[in-house]
PDB file of all heavy atoms in Angstrom:
ATOM      1  N   LEU A 995      13.857 -32.592 -18.332  1.00  0.00           N
ATOM      2  CA  LEU A 995      14.534 -33.537 -19.221  1.00  0.00           C
ATOM      3  C   LEU A 995      13.603 -34.055 -20.311  1.00  0.00           C
ATOM      4  O   LEU A 995      14.057 -34.419 -21.397  1.00  0.00           O
ATOM      5  CB  LEU A 995      15.104 -34.703 -18.411  1.00  0.00           C
ATOM      6  CG  LEU A 995      16.231 -34.338 -17.437  1.00  0.00           C
ATOM      7  CD1 LEU A 995      16.739 -35.586 -16.719  1.00  0.00           C
ATOM      8  CD2 LEU A 995      17.379 -33.656 -18.170  1.00  0.00           C
ATOM      9  N   LYS A 996      12.312 -34.120 -20.028  1.00  0.00           N
ATOM     10  CA  LYS A 996      11.357 -34.517 -21.052  1.00  0.00           C
ATOM     11  C   LYS A 996      11.394 -33.531 -22.215  1.00  0.00           C
ATOM     12  O   LYS A 996      11.371 -33.927 -23.393  1.00  0.00           O
ATOM     13  CB  LYS A 996       9.948 -34.585 -20.444  1.00  0.00           C
ATOM     14  CG  LYS A 996       8.802 -34.696 -21.449  1.00  0.00           C
ATOM     15  CD  LYS A 996       8.892 -35.943 -22.305  1.00  0.00           C
ATOM     16  CE  LYS A 996       7.732 -36.002 -23.303  1.00  0.00           C
ATOM     17  NZ  LYS A 996       7.912 -37.079 -24.298  1.00  0.00           N
ATOM     18  N   LEU A 997      11.454 -32.238 -21.897  1.00  0.00           N
ATOM     19  CA  LEU A 997      11.562 -31.240 -22.958  1.00  0.00           C
ATOM     20  C   LEU A 997      12.896 -31.373 -23.686  1.00  0.00           C
ATOM     21  O   LEU A 997      12.979 -31.177 -24.902  1.00  0.00           O
ATOM     22  CB  LEU A 997      11.421 -29.830 -22.375  1.00  0.00           C
ATOM     23  CG  LEU A 997      11.393 -28.695 -23.409  1.00  0.00           C
ATOM     24  CD1 LEU A 997      10.163 -28.812 -24.305  1.00  0.00           C
ATOM     25  CD2 LEU A 997      11.411 -27.330 -22.726  1.00  0.00           C
ATOM     26  N   ALA A 998      13.943 -31.723 -22.936  1.00  0.00           N
ATOM     27  CA  ALA A 998      15.245 -31.941 -23.575  1.00  0.00           C
ATOM     28  C   ALA A 998      15.165 -33.086 -24.584  1.00  0.00           C
ATOM     29  O   ALA A 998      15.796 -33.031 -25.651  1.00  0.00           O
ATOM     30  CB  ALA A 998      16.302 -32.230 -22.513  1.00  0.00           C
ATOM     31  N   LEU A 999      14.400 -34.126 -24.276  1.00  0.00           N
ATOM     32  CA  LEU A 999      14.220 -35.232 -25.217  1.00  0.00           C
ATOM     33  C   LEU A 999      13.484 -34.779 -26.474  1.00  0.00           C
ATOM     34  O   LEU A 999      13.707 -35.331 -27.564  1.00  0.00           O
ATOM     35  CB  LEU A 999      13.432 -36.374 -24.563  1.00  0.00           C
ATOM     36  CG  LEU A 999      14.180 -37.256 -23.568  1.00  0.00           C
ATOM     37  CD1 LEU A 999      13.234 -38.303 -22.985  1.00  0.00           C
ATOM     38  CD2 LEU A 999      15.354 -37.943 -24.243  1.00  0.00           C
ATOM     39  N   GLU A1000      12.604 -33.794 -26.347  1.00  0.00           N
ATOM     40  CA  GLU A1000      11.857 -33.298 -27.498  1.00  0.00           C
ATOM     41  C   GLU A1000      12.676 -32.325 -28.337  1.00  0.00           C
ATOM     42  O   GLU A1000      12.281 -31.985 -29.446  1.00  0.00           O
ATOM     43  CB  GLU A1000      10.576 -32.590 -27.023  1.00  0.00           C
ATOM     44  CG  GLU A1000       9.598 -33.482 -26.283  1.00  0.00           C
ATOM     45  CD  GLU A1000       9.036 -34.583 -27.156  1.00  0.00           C
ATOM     46  OE1 GLU A1000       8.771 -34.326 -28.347  1.00  0.00           O
ATOM     47  OE2 GLU A1000       8.889 -35.718 -26.653  1.00  0.00           O
ATOM     48  N   THR A1001      13.815 -31.862 -27.809  1.00  0.00           N
ATOM     49  CA  THR A1001      14.623 -30.862 -28.503  1.00  0.00           C
ATOM     50  C   THR A1001      15.534 -31.541 -29.519  1.00  0.00           C
ATOM     51  O   THR A1001      16.286 -32.457 -29.178  1.00  0.00           O
ATOM     52  CB  THR A1001      15.457 -30.050 -27.495  1.00  0.00           C
ATOM     53  OG1 THR A1001      14.588 -29.463 -26.523  1.00  0.00           O
ATOM     54  CG2 THR A1001      16.244 -28.959 -28.197  1.00  0.00           C
ATOM     55  N   HIS A1002      15.478 -31.071 -30.754  1.00  0.00           N
ATOM     56  CA  HIS A1002      16.334 -31.611 -31.816  1.00  0.00           C
ATOM     57  C   HIS A1002      17.455 -30.652 -32.188  1.00  0.00           C
ATOM     58  O   HIS A1002      18.454 -31.067 -32.750  1.00  0.00           O
ATOM     59  CB  HIS A1002      15.507 -31.904 -33.071  1.00  0.00           C
ATOM     60  CG  HIS A1002      14.448 -32.939 -32.868  1.00  0.00           C
ATOM     61  ND1 HIS A1002      13.189 -32.635 -32.370  1.00  0.00           N
ATOM     62  CD2 HIS A1002      14.452 -34.272 -33.073  1.00  0.00           C
ATOM     63  CE1 HIS A1002      12.469 -33.729 -32.297  1.00  0.00           C
ATOM     64  NE2 HIS A1002      13.195 -34.741 -32.707  1.00  0.00           N
ATOM     65  N   PHE A1003      17.251 -29.384 -31.917  1.00  0.00           N
ATOM     66  CA  PHE A1003      18.234 -28.373 -32.314  1.00  0.00           C
ATOM     67  C   PHE A1003      18.754 -27.688 -31.051  1.00  0.00           C
ATOM     68  O   PHE A1003      18.068 -26.868 -30.444  1.00  0.00           O
ATOM     69  CB  PHE A1003      17.570 -27.346 -33.244  1.00  0.00           C
ATOM     70  CG  PHE A1003      18.516 -26.329 -33.819  1.00  0.00           C
ATOM     71  CD1 PHE A1003      19.436 -26.686 -34.787  1.00  0.00           C
ATOM     72  CD2 PHE A1003      18.481 -25.011 -33.386  1.00  0.00           C
ATOM     73  CE1 PHE A1003      20.311 -25.739 -35.323  1.00  0.00           C
ATOM     74  CE2 PHE A1003      19.349 -24.066 -33.901  1.00  0.00           C
ATOM     75  CZ  PHE A1003      20.262 -24.438 -34.881  1.00  0.00           C
ATOM     76  N   TRP A1004      19.967 -28.056 -30.672  1.00  0.00           N
ATOM     77  CA  TRP A1004      20.540 -27.535 -29.424  1.00  0.00           C
ATOM     78  C   TRP A1004      21.448 -26.347 -29.711  1.00  0.00           C
ATOM     79  O   TRP A1004      22.349 -26.410 -30.535  1.00  0.00           O
ATOM     80  CB  TRP A1004      21.340 -28.631 -28.713  1.00  0.00           C
ATOM     81  CG  TRP A1004      20.465 -29.627 -28.017  1.00  0.00           C
ATOM     82  CD1 TRP A1004      19.920 -30.754 -28.544  1.00  0.00           C
ATOM     83  CD2 TRP A1004      20.016 -29.563 -26.662  1.00  0.00           C
ATOM     84  NE1 TRP A1004      19.155 -31.410 -27.617  1.00  0.00           N
ATOM     85  CE2 TRP A1004      19.199 -30.712 -26.446  1.00  0.00           C
ATOM     86  CE3 TRP A1004      20.216 -28.676 -25.607  1.00  0.00           C
ATOM     87  CZ2 TRP A1004      18.597 -30.961 -25.215  1.00  0.00           C
ATOM     88  CZ3 TRP A1004      19.620 -28.932 -24.393  1.00  0.00           C
ATOM     89  CH2 TRP A1004      18.818 -30.067 -24.199  1.00  0.00           C
ATOM     90  N   THR A1005      21.184 -25.255 -28.999  1.00  0.00           N
ATOM     91  CA  THR A1005      22.062 -24.094 -29.027  1.00  0.00           C
ATOM     92  C   THR A1005      22.627 -23.901 -27.623  1.00  0.00           C
ATOM     93  O   THR A1005      22.207 -24.568 -26.670  1.00  0.00           O
ATOM     94  CB  THR A1005      21.286 -22.824 -29.440  1.00  0.00           C
ATOM     95  OG1 THR A1005      20.298 -22.531 -28.438  1.00  0.00           O
ATOM     96  CG2 THR A1005      20.573 -23.043 -30.778  1.00  0.00           C
ATOM     97  N   TRP A1006      23.573 -22.995 -27.502  1.00  0.00           N
ATOM     98  CA  TRP A1006      24.135 -22.737 -26.173  1.00  0.00           C
ATOM     99  C   TRP A1006      23.047 -22.245 -25.216  1.00  0.00           C
ATOM    100  O   TRP A1006      23.096 -22.519 -24.011  1.00  0.00           O
ATOM    101  CB  TRP A1006      25.270 -21.709 -26.252  1.00  0.00           C
ATOM    102  CG  TRP A1006      24.827 -20.325 -26.630  1.00  0.00           C
ATOM    103  CD1 TRP A1006      24.785 -19.782 -27.864  1.00  0.00           C
ATOM    104  CD2 TRP A1006      24.350 -19.301 -25.734  1.00  0.00           C
ATOM    105  NE1 TRP A1006      24.311 -18.496 -27.821  1.00  0.00           N
ATOM    106  CE2 TRP A1006      24.043 -18.167 -26.520  1.00  0.00           C
ATOM    107  CE3 TRP A1006      24.160 -19.242 -24.349  1.00  0.00           C
ATOM    108  CZ2 TRP A1006      23.565 -16.994 -25.972  1.00  0.00           C
ATOM    109  CZ3 TRP A1006      23.674 -18.056 -23.802  1.00  0.00           C
ATOM    110  CH2 TRP A1006      23.387 -16.953 -24.611  1.00  0.00           C
ATOM    111  N   MET A1007      22.034 -21.561 -25.768  1.00  0.00           N
ATOM    112  CA  MET A1007      20.974 -21.042 -24.918  1.00  0.00           C
ATOM    113  C   MET A1007      20.087 -22.173 -24.399  1.00  0.00           C
ATOM    114  O   MET A1007      19.634 -22.142 -23.256  1.00  0.00           O
ATOM    115  CB  MET A1007      20.144 -20.012 -25.690  1.00  0.00           C
ATOM    116  CG  MET A1007      19.280 -19.134 -24.797  1.00  0.00           C
ATOM    117  SD  MET A1007      18.485 -17.781 -25.684  1.00  0.00           S
ATOM    118  CE  MET A1007      19.896 -16.786 -26.100  1.00  0.00           C
ATOM    119  N   ASN A1008      19.848 -23.190 -25.257  1.00  0.00           N
ATOM    120  CA  ASN A1008      19.091 -24.353 -24.793  1.00  0.00           C
ATOM    121  C   ASN A1008      19.806 -25.043 -23.636  1.00  0.00           C
ATOM    122  O   ASN A1008      19.188 -25.405 -22.628  1.00  0.00           O
ATOM    123  CB  ASN A1008      18.891 -25.353 -25.929  1.00  0.00           C
ATOM    124  CG  ASN A1008      17.945 -24.841 -26.997  1.00  0.00           C
ATOM    125  OD1 ASN A1008      18.359 -24.168 -27.928  1.00  0.00           O
ATOM    126  ND2 ASN A1008      16.672 -25.155 -26.859  1.00  0.00           N
ATOM    127  N   HIS A1009      21.099 -25.237 -23.804  1.00  0.00           N
ATOM    128  CA  HIS A1009      21.879 -25.866 -22.730  1.00  0.00           C
ATOM    129  C   HIS A1009      21.830 -25.015 -21.462  1.00  0.00           C
ATOM    130  O   HIS A1009      21.665 -25.542 -20.353  1.00  0.00           O
ATOM    131  CB  HIS A1009      23.336 -26.051 -23.176  1.00  0.00           C
ATOM    132  CG  HIS A1009      23.532 -27.183 -24.132  1.00  0.00           C
ATOM    133  ND1 HIS A1009      23.462 -28.503 -23.739  1.00  0.00           N
ATOM    134  CD2 HIS A1009      23.800 -27.200 -25.467  1.00  0.00           C
ATOM    135  CE1 HIS A1009      23.678 -29.289 -24.785  1.00  0.00           C
ATOM    136  NE2 HIS A1009      23.880 -28.514 -25.844  1.00  0.00           N
ATOM    137  N   PHE A1010      21.985 -23.727 -21.633  1.00  0.00           N
ATOM    138  CA  PHE A1010      22.036 -22.838 -20.473  1.00  0.00           C
ATOM    139  C   PHE A1010      20.739 -22.886 -19.674  1.00  0.00           C
ATOM    140  O   PHE A1010      20.746 -23.033 -18.445  1.00  0.00           O
ATOM    141  CB  PHE A1010      22.327 -21.412 -20.940  1.00  0.00           C
ATOM    142  CG  PHE A1010      22.342 -20.401 -19.832  1.00  0.00           C
ATOM    143  CD1 PHE A1010      23.436 -20.299 -18.979  1.00  0.00           C
ATOM    144  CD2 PHE A1010      21.263 -19.545 -19.626  1.00  0.00           C
ATOM    145  CE1 PHE A1010      23.451 -19.373 -17.945  1.00  0.00           C
ATOM    146  CE2 PHE A1010      21.270 -18.620 -18.601  1.00  0.00           C
ATOM    147  CZ  PHE A1010      22.375 -18.540 -17.758  1.00  0.00           C
ATOM    148  N   VAL A1011      19.580 -22.769 -20.352  1.00  0.00           N
ATOM    149  CA  VAL A1011      18.318 -22.716 -19.615  1.00  0.00           C
ATOM    150  C   VAL A1011      17.886 -24.099 -19.127  1.00  0.00           C
ATOM    151  O   VAL A1011      17.218 -24.208 -18.092  1.00  0.00           O
ATOM    152  CB  VAL A1011      17.197 -22.074 -20.468  1.00  0.00           C
ATOM    153  CG1 VAL A1011      17.543 -20.641 -20.813  1.00  0.00           C
ATOM    154  CG2 VAL A1011      16.924 -22.869 -21.732  1.00  0.00           C
ATOM    155  N   THR A1012      18.255 -25.167 -19.846  1.00  0.00           N
ATOM    156  CA  THR A1012      17.844 -26.512 -19.415  1.00  0.00           C
ATOM    157  C   THR A1012      18.568 -26.905 -18.146  1.00  0.00           C
ATOM    158  O   THR A1012      17.951 -27.221 -17.117  1.00  0.00           O
ATOM    159  CB  THR A1012      18.120 -27.534 -20.535  1.00  0.00           C
ATOM    160  OG1 THR A1012      17.359 -27.177 -21.694  1.00  0.00           O
ATOM    161  CG2 THR A1012      17.724 -28.939 -20.081  1.00  0.00           C
ATOM    162  N   TRP A1013      19.890 -26.909 -18.217  1.00  0.00           N
ATOM    163  CA  TRP A1013      20.662 -27.309 -17.030  1.00  0.00           C
ATOM    164  C   TRP A1013      20.645 -26.210 -15.983  1.00  0.00           C
ATOM    165  O   TRP A1013      20.705 -26.487 -14.772  1.00  0.00           O
ATOM    166  CB  TRP A1013      22.097 -27.670 -17.427  1.00  0.00           C
ATOM    167  CG  TRP A1013      22.142 -28.543 -18.650  1.00  0.00           C
ATOM    168  CD1 TRP A1013      22.731 -28.261 -19.841  1.00  0.00           C
ATOM    169  CD2 TRP A1013      21.522 -29.827 -18.810  1.00  0.00           C
ATOM    170  NE1 TRP A1013      22.533 -29.275 -20.737  1.00  0.00           N
ATOM    171  CE2 TRP A1013      21.795 -30.260 -20.138  1.00  0.00           C
ATOM    172  CE3 TRP A1013      20.763 -30.657 -17.985  1.00  0.00           C
ATOM    173  CZ2 TRP A1013      21.339 -31.467 -20.631  1.00  0.00           C
ATOM    174  CZ3 TRP A1013      20.307 -31.863 -18.481  1.00  0.00           C
ATOM    175  CH2 TRP A1013      20.595 -32.267 -19.782  1.00  0.00           C
ATOM    176  N   GLY A1014      20.537 -24.957 -16.451  1.00  0.00           N
ATOM    177  CA  GLY A1014      20.480 -23.842 -15.510  1.00  0.00           C
ATOM    178  C   GLY A1014      19.206 -23.843 -14.683  1.00  0.00           C
ATOM    179  O   GLY A1014      19.221 -23.464 -13.501  1.00  0.00           O
ATOM    180  N   SER A1015      18.072 -24.267 -15.266  1.00  0.00           N
ATOM    181  CA  SER A1015      16.814 -24.324 -14.514  1.00  0.00           C
ATOM    182  C   SER A1015      16.886 -25.351 -13.395  1.00  0.00           C
ATOM    183  O   SER A1015      16.421 -25.097 -12.274  1.00  0.00           O
ATOM    184  CB  SER A1015      15.652 -24.662 -15.458  1.00  0.00           C
ATOM    185  OG  SER A1015      15.420 -23.614 -16.360  1.00  0.00           O
ATOM    186  N   ILE A1016      17.487 -26.506 -13.697  1.00  0.00           N
ATOM    187  CA  ILE A1016      17.639 -27.536 -12.659  1.00  0.00           C
ATOM    188  C   ILE A1016      18.581 -27.039 -11.569  1.00  0.00           C
ATOM    189  O   ILE A1016      18.306 -27.185 -10.364  1.00  0.00           O
ATOM    190  CB  ILE A1016      18.145 -28.843 -13.280  1.00  0.00           C
ATOM    191  CG1 ILE A1016      17.109 -29.382 -14.282  1.00  0.00           C
ATOM    192  CG2 ILE A1016      18.434 -29.882 -12.198  1.00  0.00           C
ATOM    193  CD1 ILE A1016      17.571 -30.614 -15.041  1.00  0.00           C
ATOM    194  N   ALA A1017      19.690 -26.424 -12.001  1.00  0.00           N
ATOM    195  CA  ALA A1017      20.641 -25.910 -11.014  1.00  0.00           C
ATOM    196  C   ALA A1017      20.015 -24.802 -10.173  1.00  0.00           C
ATOM    197  O   ALA A1017      20.231 -24.731  -8.950  1.00  0.00           O
ATOM    198  CB  ALA A1017      21.891 -25.394 -11.729  1.00  0.00           C
ATOM    199  N   PHE A1018      19.238 -23.939 -10.827  1.00  0.00           N
ATOM    200  CA  PHE A1018      18.593 -22.850 -10.092  1.00  0.00           C
ATOM    201  C   PHE A1018      17.629 -23.400  -9.046  1.00  0.00           C
ATOM    202  O   PHE A1018      17.552 -22.872  -7.926  1.00  0.00           O
ATOM    203  CB  PHE A1018      17.849 -21.935 -11.062  1.00  0.00           C
ATOM    204  CG  PHE A1018      16.998 -20.893 -10.385  1.00  0.00           C
ATOM    205  CD1 PHE A1018      17.575 -19.780  -9.787  1.00  0.00           C
ATOM    206  CD2 PHE A1018      15.615 -21.042 -10.317  1.00  0.00           C
ATOM    207  CE1 PHE A1018      16.796 -18.835  -9.147  1.00  0.00           C
ATOM    208  CE2 PHE A1018      14.825 -20.103  -9.681  1.00  0.00           C
ATOM    209  CZ  PHE A1018      15.419 -18.994  -9.101  1.00  0.00           C
ATOM    210  N   TYR A1019      16.907 -24.456  -9.407  1.00  0.00           N
ATOM    211  CA  TYR A1019      15.972 -25.041  -8.442  1.00  0.00           C
ATOM    212  C   TYR A1019      16.723 -25.533  -7.204  1.00  0.00           C
ATOM    213  O   TYR A1019      16.292 -25.286  -6.058  1.00  0.00           O
ATOM    214  CB  TYR A1019      15.200 -26.194  -9.083  1.00  0.00           C
ATOM    215  CG  TYR A1019      14.492 -27.056  -8.062  1.00  0.00           C
ATOM    216  CD1 TYR A1019      13.389 -26.569  -7.357  1.00  0.00           C
ATOM    217  CD2 TYR A1019      14.964 -28.329  -7.741  1.00  0.00           C
ATOM    218  CE1 TYR A1019      12.761 -27.337  -6.397  1.00  0.00           C
ATOM    219  CE2 TYR A1019      14.340 -29.106  -6.781  1.00  0.00           C
ATOM    220  CZ  TYR A1019      13.237 -28.613  -6.103  1.00  0.00           C
ATOM    221  OH  TYR A1019      12.619 -29.375  -5.138  1.00  0.00           O
TER     222      TYR A1019
END
Side-chain angles (χ1 to χ4, degrees):
L995 294 182
K996 167 61 181 170
L997 185 64
L999 284 178
E1000 298 296 322
T1001 304
H1002 298 85
F1003 185 72
W1004 284 88
T1005 64
W1006 68 267
M1007 196 172 292
N1008 291 87
H1009 284 287
F1010 177 77
V1011 298
T1012 299
W1013 315 119
S1015 293
I1016 297 175
F1018 172 75
Y1019 165 70

